[in-house]
Structure formats: structure tokens, C-alpha cells
Amino acid sequence: MSDALTALAAELAACTLCAPRFAATATGHSPRPVPWFRSGARIVVAGQAPGMRVHKAGRPFFDPSGDRLRDWMGITAEQFYDRDRLSVLPMAFCFPGYDAKGADLPPPPVCAATWHDRITAGLGDVALTLLVGGYAQRYFLGADAKGGVTRTVQGWRAHAPRVFPLPHPSWRNTGWLKKNPWFAAEVLPALRTRVKEVMDG
């Protein structure tokens, strides 16, 4: 990691900007940012925000959603967690907490506004970016994502091969996957081919 990104990761890891916000959630937790990036990485996974398991483990996508995402990509956990190859750039680096009904709260916009420009500048040219879920798609694609996740993912060819919009790999989306078999039939083979090209390049 470059000296600038090393310092930035340390600064991010110590961030407590959202401490009052998190203390007021149903979980009442403290911030625990999970920075996972390194200069020169060829793939960036832009997701939503860490869940409770990631919050406890301090490692991104360290949960069933991560298992499904790695399966979609056709790579091992060892490859996924190799920061020389892959960086993770969520819309929020901390677990936002649950609401009173136990649902994940949205990522606070202040997180991306505070950190993203500095991180992306340090990452430099990236061969492949995966936009996982609606929050990341709206942030990076703007008007191209206004039709919702399904329409955005259906339009993946307009962004490939450098960008692939994907649904969130949460178990909650199992029904979506069953209703949209074209995703496994059309998108995943192209995604795996591109990931292999980038990983081997």
C-alpha cells in the first residue's frame, strides 16, 4: 500500500463521525470502520455497508452474502481477501445498525462524502468495479440507476467490461434470483470471465 493510502486507512479506522448516530440505533453500537483497500488493486467491490458479522469480524463480506458474492465471481476467499488484487469500497465503512424491526439501516451518506474521493484517488486506475446493490449503483451510475436494481442489472452490457452492476447477494434476495433466471444464465458467465481476465492479467 502506498504511504498515502496507509495513512488514509489508519485515519479511516479511527473514524467516530457517526458515533452519536449509531448510539441512537436499536443496536446501540460503537463505530468500527472496516477499511479494505490497497493501491494497485485491479478489482473494486462497491457495496452497501458492513453487516453485524462483518462488524464483529473486522473483515468485509465475512458472511453468507460474501460467500454468495465470491461464488458469483468464481473466486476463492483467499483471492477475494488479497488486497493486492481486490479492494472493497462500501457506501459506508461501518455497520449502520438495525432499526426497531431488525432491518438494516441505510448507509449514512456522510461516510461516502467524507472518504470516497480520497480513496478512489489513491486507488488509481481500476480494471473492474462491481456495483453491489442499489446504493452503490445510484452513487456511481447516477441517472443510469434511476430505474431500480432490476433494470440496472438488466442493462449490465452498457457498463461492461469495466463495470458490472449486481444485485445484493443477501439471502433476502433469493426470491429475486429465482424470479430473474437471466441473471445466472447471462450475467454470471460474463462476470466470471471478466474477473478471471483481470485476476490473471
Side-chain angles (χ1 to χ4, degrees), residues 8 12 44-48 88-93 109-123 135-136 139-140:
L8 183 55
L12 172 55
V44 165
V45 176
Q48 181 170 318
V88 178
L89 187 64
M91 294 301 100
F93 286 90
V110 66
C111 189
T114 301
W115 299 106
H116 272 218
D117 287 349
R118 295 170 65 190
I119 295 169
T120 53
L123 289 174
Y135 288 102
Y139 183 89
F140 284 97

Side-chain angles (χ1 to χ4, degrees), residues 75-98:
I75 62 174
T76 65
E78 182 180 6
Q79 291 173 309
F80 186 89
Y81 290 116
D82 180 357
R83 275 177 275 201
D84 287 326
R85 291 178 165 184
L86 187 147
S87 293
V88 178
L89 187 64
M91 294 301 100
F93 286 90
C94 289
F95 168 53
Y98 298 136

